[in-house]
Amino acid sequence: MKYILSFCALIFLFSCTTQKTDSKYTRIQYQAGACFGSCPIFTITINPDRTAILEAEHFNFSKEFSKGEFSNPREGTFNGVIKEADYNKLISLLNDLDVKSLKDHYGTKNITDLSTSYLKINFTDGSSKNIEDYGKRGSEKLRKVYMFIEDLRHNQQWAKVK
């Protein structure tokens, strides 16, 4: 019985460890632009050590839309450390994308009230990739990355610095 419990404890310990993902990215930056409604306006920059800066402009933390929100001061600058599991998930999503092979521009500007996202990736080899996506509809995998990054505003610990 003692051996069975030891074996179970060992399995439990191994299952609780997170797998570390080697990052080939030196900086990940995502910017969400304005629309004619209450689209969140922010920039988030994530470093390989998982430190991050959130520059929140408008509509990031409010629940209800008001045009008066634009006259309010920007929401602020926040620092945080992305949880290891979330960072590893983000790296996995980016690796799935094959970022360097993506187009530089997505979306058509025939509709004038959609938000534009900007994904800027710097790689360890010194190269970079900038993606502009009007309407945030580049591809299914790209939309998953956008949604995941946008969710980081709400599921991480952020400390306001200004």
Side-chain angles (χ1 to χ4, degrees):
M1 184 67 156
K2 184 169 41 170
Y3 294 113
I4 292 174
L5 286 175
S6 297
F7 181 70
C8 289
L10 188 63
I11 289 174
F12 178 73
L13 287 174
F14 279 117
S15 68
C16 288
T17 60
T18 57
Q19 289 184 337
K20 198 142 181 106
T21 305
D22 287 330
S23 177
K24 58 185 172 187
Y25 312 103
T26 59
R27 188 178 78 158
I28 301 163
Q29 185 177 61
Y30 177 79
Q31 179 181 356
C35 66
F36 287 148
S38 60
C39 301
I41 305 167
F42 70 96
T43 302
I44 187 169
T45 304
I46 304 169
N47 299 305
D49 63 358
R50 300 188 348 258
T51 58
I53 298 172
L54 171 62
E55 298 281 346
E57 297 295 327
H58 297 287
F59 308 112
N60 288 283
F61 308 111
S62 56
K63 301 271 187 213
E64 297 182 22
F65 171 68
S66 164
K67 288 187 179 188
E69 177 91 16
F70 283 112
S71 61
N72 291 343
R74 63 187 292 280
E75 293 168 331
T77 300
F78 301 82
N79 285 339
V81 177
I82 305 300
K83 297 172 189 168
E84 186 174 5
D86 290 332
Y87 181 78
N88 290 342
K89 174 71 174 171
L90 175 59
I91 297 305
S92 176
L93 288 169
L94 289 172
N95 288 343
D96 260 2
L97 270 178
D98 190 17
V99 175
K100 289 184 179 184
S101 70
L102 295 173
K103 296 191 293 186
D104 293 336
H105 300 280
Y106 290 93
T108 59
K109 297 188 179 185
N110 296 338
I111 304 168
T112 60
D113 65 343
L114 299 177
S115 176
T116 301
S117 65
Y118 303 89
L119 182 61
K120 300 174 183 178
I121 308 288
N122 293 348
F123 296 91
T124 55
D125 67 5
S127 65
S128 64
K129 180 69 174 183
N130 297 325
I131 301 164
E132 178 181 332
D133 190 345
Y134 180 73
K136 302 180 185 181
R137 299 182 182 147
S139 72
E140 184 63 33
K141 287 182 177 182
L142 203 47
R143 283 191 298 272
K144 284 182 182 178
V145 169
Y146 299 156
M147 288 175 54
F148 188 84
I149 293 174
E150 290 190 13
D151 287 345
L152 293 175
R153 292 173 299 136
H154 303 292
N155 61 22
Q156 304 298 305
Q157 296 291 329
W158 298 102
K160 190 169 186 176
V161 292
K162 48 177 172 165

